Structures are given as structure tokens and as C-alpha cells.
């Protein structure tokens, strides 16, 4: 089993993806449960599962790095 992190390119929702390395699956597709956009589609016979970990509204907002202090 291979587990990795994935973010929706449209709304930035965070997902955990589990992909079986031994069990055969079927071609498929995964859609974001928040915005409905396509996360991924695959043609290989793989078994994948996407689990929503954090929706965008619960993420901390991006805070820019403050400028470095000026030394005089």
C-alpha cells in the first residue's frame, strides 16, 4: 500500500490517497468532494481511494513572510 498527500488544484482541499500495489482495481476517476472538480483519472487497473483530510475553509490563511529587519 502506498499512501501519499494530494491537494485539489482547484480549491486546495487536502486529501490522503491510498493506492494498492498488489490488489487489482479498474480504471477510474476521483472528484473533489468540496468543489466537484476532477482530481485525477487513470486508465491503469489500479485500486485507489481518496480521503478528505482538510477542507480549504479550515486551513490557516497564507501569511507572507515579513521583510528582514534593516541593520544600520
Amino acid at each position: 500500500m502506498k499512501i501519499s498527500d494530494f491537494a485539489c488544484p482547484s480549491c486546495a482541499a487536502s486529501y490522503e490517497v491510498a493506492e494498492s500495489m498488489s490488489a487489482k482495481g479498474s480504471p477510474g476517476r476521483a472528484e473533489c468532494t468540496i468543489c466537484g472538480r476532477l482530481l485525477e483519472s487513470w486508465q491503469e487497473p489500479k485500486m485507489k481511494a481518496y480521503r478528505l483530510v482538510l477542507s480549504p475553509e479550515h486551513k490557516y490563511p497564507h501569511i507572507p513572510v515579513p521583510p528582514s529587519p534593516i541593520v544600520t
Side-chain angles (χ1 to χ4, degrees):
M1 176 86 46
K2 176 181 157 187
I3 298 177
S4 56
D5 296 323
F6 186 85
C8 174
S10 182
C11 72
S14 297
Y15 287 87
E16 192 173 74
V17 184
E19 182 178 343
S20 175
M21 304 308 275
S22 58
K24 295 289 182 189
S26 59
R29 59 186 285 139
E31 295 173 352
C32 181
T33 57
I34 303 297
C35 69
R37 295 302 242 342
L38 180 67
L39 293 175
E40 182 185 14
S41 65
W42 58 95
Q43 296 302 315
E44 303 86 20
K46 293 184 177 183
M47 186 177 293
K48 291 186 177 188
Y50 282 75
R51 187 184 81 146
L52 179 65
V53 177
L54 190 62
S55 60
E57 64 266 10
H58 289 108
K59 287 186 171 185
Y60 287 112
H62 177 71
I63 299 172
V65 177
S68 61
I70 299 173
V71 178
T72 58

